[in-house]
Amino acid sequence: MSFPETFKALSDPVRREILVMLKPGKMSAGKISQAFDMSGATISYHLSQLKKAGLILESKYKNFIYYELNTSVFEEVMLWFSQFGGNKNEK
Amino acid sequence: MSFPETFKALSDPVRREILVMLKPGKMSAGKISQAFDMSGATISYHLSQLKKAGLILESKYKNFIYYELNTSVFEEVMLWFSQFGGNKNEK
DNA sequence: AGGGTATTTAGAAATTTTTCTAAGTACCCT
DNA sequence: AGGGTACTTAGAAAAATTTCTAAATACCCT
C-alpha cells in the first residue's frame, strides 16, 4: 500500500515478470507458478509481496485463487516518475 | 545500465530521495551526504548504485564530484510502466 | 612538496530478502 | 465424510543488501 513497499515489490525480476504475465487478465496462482522454475511456496511469497504493495488483487473461485493487475497503483508510480520529466507525453 | 539494476536502484528510499534532491541540478557528493544521517561512505555507496543503474551521471570539478540526473533512463522506465496502461497521458 | 579537504574503497557486521521443504488450511467433488 | 487438489504459512538456510569504521586515493592550494 505504501510507496516504499511498491518500489520494493517492483525491484524483483520474478515479480515484474508476474505482472507482465497478468496483463491479459486474471490468472490462478498455480498457472503463474508453472512459468517459473521455483517452488509454489516461493511464488506464493512473491504474490503476497505484490498484493501487499497493492499491485495486484486476488479473488477466489472454486479451488483456485486468481490474481489480476491493479492498474490504479501503477498510475501512482507513474506519477512519481513524471516529476523527473521523463514523461514524453506530458503537456 | 540493465533494466533489473535500474529497478533495484529505485527500490531504496535513500536513493529515491537523492534523485529528488538532484532535480534542481548538479550537487556534490558531500552536499548530498549532509542531508542524511549516515556516513559519507554509505552515501557514496548509494551514489555508486545509482550511477551503475544509469540514473545519475558524475562529473569532477576541483576537489568535488558532482552528480546530476540522467533523465533519459527515467524515460526508459516510464516506457516499461506504460505497458500496463498506467499512463494517463497516453494517446 | 606537503598538508588539507572531498570522496571512494575495503572489509566486516547487521539486516533484509529470497528460497526451500514440510506442514497446514481450505475448498472441491463423489 | 473423506480423498484430492490448490494454495499458503512456518521455520530455517542461503544469498543479497545496507551500513559502519578505517584506510586509501585524488586533487586542491600555498
Side-chain angles (χ1 to χ4, degrees), chain B residues 8-44:
Chain B
K8 271 281 178 221
L10 287 167
S11 73
D12 186 272
V14 170
R15 291 193 289 262
R16 284 198 305 279
E17 197 173 335
I18 291 173
L19 293 174
V20 172
M21 286 174 64
L22 291 178
K23 273 203 299 179
K26 279 186 213 286
M27 194 180 272
S28 73
K31 200 82 202 304
I32 294 166
S33 196
Q34 285 172 23
F36 297 92
D37 192 17
M38 290 171 168
S39 74
T42 294
I43 298 303
S44 182

Side-chain angles (χ1 to χ4, degrees), chain A residues 28-30 41 44 63-65 67:
Chain A
S28 72
S44 183
N63 221 357
F64 301 87
I65 303 183
Y67 290 95

Side-chain angles (χ1 to χ4, degrees), chain A residues 5-61:
Chain A
E5 240 164 14
T6 306
F7 274 99
K8 272 278 178 224
L10 288 166
S11 73
D12 186 90
V14 171
R15 291 194 289 262
R16 284 198 306 278
E17 197 172 336
I18 291 174
L19 293 174
V20 172
M21 287 174 64
L22 291 177
K23 272 202 300 178
K26 280 187 214 286
M27 192 180 273
S28 72
K31 200 80 202 306
I32 293 167
S33 196
Q34 285 172 25
F36 297 91
D37 193 18
M38 290 172 169
S39 73
T42 295
I43 298 303
S44 183
Y45 161 75
H46 284 303
L47 289 169
S48 78
Q49 296 304 106
L50 288 169
K51 196 172 55 171
K52 228 174 52 178
L55 289 160
I56 60 174
L57 302 169
E58 93 179 18
S59 53
K60 297 174 195 200
Y61 177 65

Side-chain angles (χ1 to χ4, degrees), chain B residues 16-84:
Chain B
R16 284 198 305 279
E17 197 173 335
I18 291 173
L19 293 174
V20 172
M21 286 174 64
L22 291 178
K23 273 203 299 179
K26 279 186 213 286
M27 194 180 272
S28 73
K31 200 82 202 304
I32 294 166
S33 196
Q34 285 172 23
F36 297 92
D37 192 17
M38 290 171 168
S39 74
T42 294
I43 298 303
S44 182
Y45 161 77
H46 284 303
L47 289 169
S48 78
Q49 296 305 107
L50 289 168
K51 194 173 58 173
K52 227 173 54 181
L55 289 161
I56 60 174
L57 303 168
E58 93 180 16
S59 53
K60 298 176 196 198
Y61 177 65
K62 293 201 173 164
N63 220 357
F64 302 87
I65 303 184
Y66 289 92
Y67 289 96
E68 69 191 299
L69 296 179
N70 182 15
T71 50
S72 66
V73 172
F74 284 91
E75 283 173 20
E76 280 180 44
V77 180
M78 288 286 276
L79 216 58
W80 184 86
F81 275 103
S82 66
Q83 80 180 298
F84 298 103

